[in-house]
Amino acid sequence: MKAGEPNDRMTSPETEALDGFPCTLFQESQWARYKLHGPSGFNIAMRWAVNGDLSRLAAEGALQSLMRRHEILRTGFREVDGKLQQIVSPSCTLRLLDVDLSFLPPAERAARAEQMARAEALDPMDPRQAPLMRATLLRFGQGRGELLLTLHAMVADGWSTGLLTGEFQAAARAIDAGTPPDESEPELQFVDYALWQQELLASNALDDSRAFWRRHLTGAVGTRVQPDHKPASADNDRSSIASVLLPATVSDAIDAFGRQQGATRFALAAAGLALMLHRVTGEREIVFGSQVANREEPAAERLVGPTVNSITLRVPVAVDASLRQFAATATGIVQSALQNQRLPLEIAEGFAATGEGRPLHAVNLVVHRSYSGTAETEAGTSGRFNLVSLPSYPAGSPWDLNFYLIGRDEGWRLSCEANADLYEPSTVQSLLQAWQECLHGLVTTPDRGLADCPWLLAVVVRAESAQPGLSAPAVQRHEPTDLDDPARHIVRFHETGTSAPMVVLNNRSVYYPLARELGDNRPFIDIQLYHPSSRCDAKAHRFEELAARAIHLIRSVHPKGPYILGGHCVYGTVAFEAARQLQTMGETTTLVALFDSWAPGYREDMSPLDRKLRQLRIDTVEHKKRLEQYRRGEVGLDAIVRKPILRRLGRLGPEPAPEKSPDLQFDDLVTDAAKAYRPEPYEGDVILFRSQETLRGRLFDELMGWGPLVSGNLVKVEVDSAHQDMFRDRPARDIAAVLRARLGDGAKS
């Protein structure tokens, strides 16, 4: 073998003289699509990392063993008298494409491997010519490489790839050990399955399922997200994949809610997707597809071949329902569809509406764990090599948008393969983010209503900002989250700086000395949650919702992390919650800076006695301050002695509070909302800047109560200033020096 050059690919026998067998309805539908649009877009492209020594002899021998064992891997297709038939060849030869890339520098090697894998995923196959399978082994040197396996959708499905991977490894290890691999004929070949399906459809066994799908799909119109562009051509198979790792906290919340509600992860993924599609499209009925393995018969569990069937989920959206009710509705629909999954889509889709030129399944959902090659499936295996599943490159998709929730070693991953002629990558990424937020909100705030749920309304605002072509939001009722011009809420300093910006909340020009001391290269953004033109009613909303509002404003000027967040007093707590929510969205917050911020619940959860003792201490300190004011001649003796005594005796009413400006009233409402806020610990870095004015002692924790709420690195820094003076020149200079050191800025520029 010459390094970097491929071998001859494959040979196959003539099939004209061979007898044919009936096809399944799925294979017939794929053939019809092939005749209409050509051979592109049918590949199932798999990738595995090869760890250890996989010889060409063992790999190629294992592939031949698979083809001898499974007839479907020796199958091509042809029409006989207008009827499609499977043509099973008695033998086929597939030669492994063995490519040595070890001589290349690492960066060039990785680029070349990606280029080859992408090309392999897209290269079409002629369904008339067996074998409809290709394999490529890329060698990187030192016992590392990648195995690429590509199959045609008419001969395999996702379940099949898992079976083939396990059999491939067993056969290769046997060959390595000098023993013959298992080539015993399986209990069921795919032509047997096709004949069985014919008999099933000719019987009355599926009459109940026919009746169900007729009721379920009559009048149904597939949901479609308005594209960014008109398609260049109907035959184009260009697609792109975006992906995001679901944070463990969100995954755990989904599992916990599912156990509580009796809902599977698949049902909740479908509910979250339907919720997102409702907000993005404005439609009150969401219709999309999903796949089932369709292997209820025990013999079919070990069958290689495309038994996969598609079901249609038609989810109504009642805007006056709670999220919990919506999840229950979606779960019931998923369960009913699964109970009737055996009726082929090719029959069921005939009951749906055919108008408007919209496919029934423009949007699709796939939920599964990786079929093979994970740390779990490889645990305990022996031999000179193992295979670990890698994300696939796009191979073209029959759906405009195909959403995945796939479990891998690193956790559950959200992905979307999109028609690249229709959707910009930024649109796809925004849809993924919106799906994640809907999943998270669905399971963490299930008792909120669809019509007045702030984070749900914010999904649309973010989507529209990145996707000008998408439809208007569906819910037109009371919107507690402020949707006016974000620019009114934003003050910027050092806009030309190239470092990641520091974002602080709600103290207007008070922050300017700190911005100045951080230097011109550090952009500084002050977010005003309150603005005189704002329609946000803070009194009506939970603290988490106010933080979601802050995120909306932050992302209007800084859409992607990493983020550096900060806030003074209660707005430090808002910044903390914003960091938590951004983390669940998969974003990174480098640092949260708290300026004299008491942890939520620290004071409120004290015993009644401790709260009284704490307040007595505060009142004593305040009285001493008033005495100092008296000594300076700022107040009279009447104000600090006579009036307080008369009020305690009930002979004088309470001192009228000065009328507060609207922005201070807003601050009070945020403070009140924080009293009921009890967050989970935050896995990130936090710096607490504590002024000298804050009290010390048993009831005034040195970390201001943040210790239990920060599971990352928590550092306290003493600031020689009063609470309201933390951002005057000298303390601002000290704070900036700490922040520059923490952020790696060095001296002020």
Side-chain angles (χ1 to χ4, degrees):
M1 179 189 67
K2 183 180 178 182
E5 293 295 325
N7 299 311
D8 293 335
R9 294 299 297 211
M10 62 185 71
T11 61
S12 65
E14 296 296 327
T15 61
E16 291 298 324
L18 299 175
D19 292 333
F21 297 90
C23 292
T24 64
L25 291 185
F26 174 79
Q27 288 174 320
E28 290 178 358
S29 70
Q30 297 297 292
W31 179 263
R33 183 174 146 231
Y34 155 71
K35 291 178 67 177
L36 183 63
H37 297 299
S40 297
F42 292 89
N43 289 353
I44 301 173
M46 313 297 291
R47 294 170 64 223
W48 290 271
V50 180
N51 298 316
D53 183 13
L54 175 59
S55 69
R56 174 180 173 178
L57 178 67
E60 200 164 73
L63 291 169
Q64 290 300 137
S65 175
L66 293 179
M67 287 200 297
R68 285 191 290 268
R69 178 168 154 77
H70 299 287
E71 290 179 353
I72 192 66
L73 300 182
R74 294 180 269 119
T75 296
F77 299 85
R78 72 169 183 232
E79 287 185 355
V80 178
D81 298 328
K83 189 69 175 177
L84 183 67
Q85 291 190 338
Q86 301 185 69
I87 310 299
V88 181
S89 300
S91 64
C92 279
T93 300
L94 186 150
R95 294 194 178 96
L96 178 73
L97 178 60
D98 194 348
V99 183
D100 185 1
L101 301 177
S102 62
F103 68 98
L104 295 173
E108 188 176 345
R109 182 193 311 147
R112 175 64 173 154
E114 179 178 339
Q115 179 187 39
M116 294 188 69
R118 289 185 181 276
E120 179 67 16
L122 288 171
D123 191 18
M125 301 183 199
D126 183 349
R128 298 169 296 183
Q129 187 74 30
L132 296 175
M133 177 172 72
R134 296 192 298 260
T136 301
L137 180 60
L138 306 178
R139 299 188 183 279
F140 302 158
Q142 299 179 336
R144 295 185 306 106
E146 282 186 17
L147 177 65
L148 312 177
L149 181 64
T150 307
L151 298 111
H152 196 284
M154 292 179 72
V155 301
D157 55 15
W159 187 290
S160 301
T161 63
L163 298 175
L164 292 173
T165 307
E167 290 188 20
F168 172 86
Q169 293 190 84
R173 287 171 180 145
I175 294 170
D176 262 345
T179 59
D182 178 17
E183 294 181 4
S184 60
E185 185 171 357
E187 180 181 353
L188 191 69
Q189 294 284 6
F190 195 75
V191 292
D192 302 318
Y193 177 85
L195 291 168
W196 170 81
Q197 186 189 72
Q198 280 193 342
E199 294 177 2
L200 178 68
L201 295 175
S203 71
N204 60 2
L206 298 181
D207 285 354
D208 288 346
S209 290
R210 289 177 192 269
F212 168 80
W213 288 113
R214 182 177 285 107
R215 293 191 306 271
H216 185 63
L217 293 181
T218 298
V221 177
T223 297
R224 190 180 192 191
V225 175
Q226 183 175 331
D228 298 317
H229 310 287
K230 292 182 178 180
S233 71
D235 300 339
N236 200 306
D237 66 343
R238 282 198 324 123
S239 63
S240 63
I241 291 181
S243 183
V244 61
L245 184 65
L246 195 65
T249 52
V250 179
S251 182
D252 292 345
I254 292 171
D255 289 341
F257 183 76
R259 288 191 296 269
Q260 180 189 67
Q261 300 298 122
T264 63
R265 185 181 285 266
F266 172 48
L268 293 178
L273 182 62
L275 190 61
M276 182 272 285
L277 291 171
H278 159 65
R279 290 298 300 158
V280 169
T281 66
E283 295 178 4
R284 297 292 182 90
E285 182 176 86
I286 302 302
V287 179
F288 58 94
S290 188
Q291 282 64 58
V292 290
N294 198 25
R295 294 173 183 259
E296 294 179 324
E297 299 295 328
E301 290 185 1
R302 303 298 302 173
L303 174 66
V304 173
T307 68
V308 63
N309 189 28
S310 293
I311 58 175
T312 304
L313 302 177
R314 185 181 186 181
V315 185
V317 181
V319 295
D320 57 348
S322 70
L323 292 169
R324 190 186 302 276
Q325 292 169 328
F326 180 80
T329 297
T331 297
I333 289 167
V334 167
Q335 290 172 345
S336 296
L338 292 176
Q339 289 166 3
N340 294 277
Q341 65 177 271
R342 294 176 70 180
L343 187 73
L345 174 70
E346 292 74 22
I347 296 175
E349 66 183 349
F351 304 132
T354 57
E356 301 186 37
R358 283 205 260 180
L360 185 63
H361 294 176
V363 177
N364 191 69
L365 170 66
V366 177
V367 179
H368 66 71
R369 282 197 177 276
S370 182
Y371 287 109
S372 61
T374 65
E376 180 180 354
T377 61
E378 288 301 298
T381 58
S382 60
R384 298 168 61 189
F385 75 93
N386 61 44
L387 304 180
V388 177
S389 176
L390 296 173
S392 300
Y393 290 117
S397 172
W399 304 286
D400 291 352
L401 293 166
N402 191 16
F403 292 91
Y404 296 85
L405 177 58
I406 298 181
R408 297 189 182 277
D409 286 343
E410 67 270 24
W412 285 88
R413 182 172 290 277
L414 301 178
S415 301
C416 180
E417 182 173 6
N419 184 322
D421 281 344
L422 298 179
Y423 299 101
E424 290 290 330
S426 59
T427 296
V428 180
Q429 195 66 48
S430 295
L431 291 171
L432 268 185
Q433 177 188 316
W435 183 26
Q436 177 178 318
E437 292 172 10
C438 284
L439 271 172
H440 181 241
L442 187 71
V443 300
T444 57
T445 60
D447 296 316
R448 293 304 304 245
L450 271 69
D452 61 356
C453 186
W455 62 261
L456 183 56
L457 298 175
V459 163
V460 175
V461 174
R462 284 191 290 273
E464 285 186 319
S465 64
Q467 307 161 91
L470 294 185
S471 303
V475 179
Q476 301 296 338
R477 299 172 61 178
H478 170 61
E479 296 181 345
T481 299
D482 176 36
L483 301 179
D484 57 9
D485 183 5
R488 299 177 182 176
H489 297 257
I490 296 161
V491 178
R492 301 194 196 200
F493 307 99
H494 310 321
E495 294 184 53
T496 60
T498 58
S499 299
M502 182 166 186
V503 182
V504 293
L505 301 177
N506 237 62
N507 277 71
R508 292 168 291 281
S509 59
V510 171
Y511 285 123
Y512 174 70
L514 178 59
R516 183 187 61 216
E517 292 297 333
L518 284 173
D520 294 343
N521 200 43
R522 175 72 62 186
F524 198 92
I525 303 171
D526 183 10
I527 300 293
Q528 309 294 310
L529 289 185
Y530 173 81
H531 186 274
S533 65
S534 170
R535 292 171 288 159
C536 178
D537 180 7
K539 187 176 183 179
H541 305 294
R542 297 166 60 242
F543 191 81
E544 292 91 332
E545 296 160 1
L546 295 170
R549 166 188 167 81
I551 291 174
H552 163 56
L553 293 169
I554 291 168
R555 298 183 86 170
S556 71
V557 289
H558 191 48
K560 295 292 292 182
Y563 294 97
I564 304 164
L565 304 182
H568 185 237
C569 199
V570 71
Y571 289 101
T573 310
V574 177
F576 175 83
E577 172 58 20
R580 287 186 68 257
Q581 293 186 24
L582 285 166
Q583 192 174 72
T584 67
M585 298 173 188
E587 296 287 359
T588 299
T589 301
T590 304
L591 185 66
V592 178
L594 306 173
F595 302 103
D596 257 9
S597 304
W598 285 100
Y602 174 72
R603 295 164 291 190
E604 292 80 9
D605 294 344
M606 287 181 176
S607 68
L609 176 60
D610 279 352
R611 281 202 303 272
K612 288 181 180 179
L613 292 174
R614 191 177 191 278
Q615 189 59 50
L616 179 61
R617 173 90 183 275
I618 293 171
D619 291 344
T620 300
V621 171
E622 288 299 316
H623 185 65
K624 289 181 178 178
K625 289 181 181 178
R626 297 283 277 175
L627 286 174
E628 289 297 322
Q629 288 179 309
Y630 167 72
R631 294 190 182 103
R632 293 195 298 267
E634 296 171 2
V635 297
L637 192 62
D638 184 67
I640 65 171
V641 178
R642 190 181 71 84
K643 286 184 178 179
I645 292 174
L646 290 175
R647 289 194 176 97
R648 283 197 296 271
L649 293 174
R651 298 175 63 182
L652 185 65
E655 185 172 1
E659 184 175 352
K660 290 188 175 181
S661 61
D663 59 326
L664 293 179
Q665 293 178 36
F666 185 91
D667 293 348
D668 289 344
L669 293 173
V670 175
T671 301
D672 289 341
K675 292 177 181 177
Y677 168 57
R678 298 294 183 273
E680 293 295 319
Y682 168 63
E683 299 176 5
D685 291 350
V686 176
I687 290 185
L688 170 65
F689 292 96
R690 180 168 181 169
S691 74
Q692 293 298 313
E693 187 176 1
T694 53
L695 301 180
R696 268 66 172 173
R698 182 179 71 85
L699 302 176
F700 300 87
D701 179 53
E702 281 298 309
L703 294 176
M704 301 183 79
W706 289 103
L709 298 182
V710 179
S711 57
N713 186 31
L714 173 61
V715 175
K716 183 193 72 167
V717 175
E718 295 286 350
V719 179
D720 186 13
S721 76
H723 175 74
Q724 296 291 357
D725 297 335
M726 295 186 77
F727 304 107
R728 293 187 181 274
D729 289 349
R730 182 179 50 76
R733 188 161 48 248
D734 296 340
I735 291 170
V738 174
L739 290 174
R740 285 199 305 272
R742 173 61 180 78
L743 299 173
D745 287 358
K748 184 180 75 171
S749 59

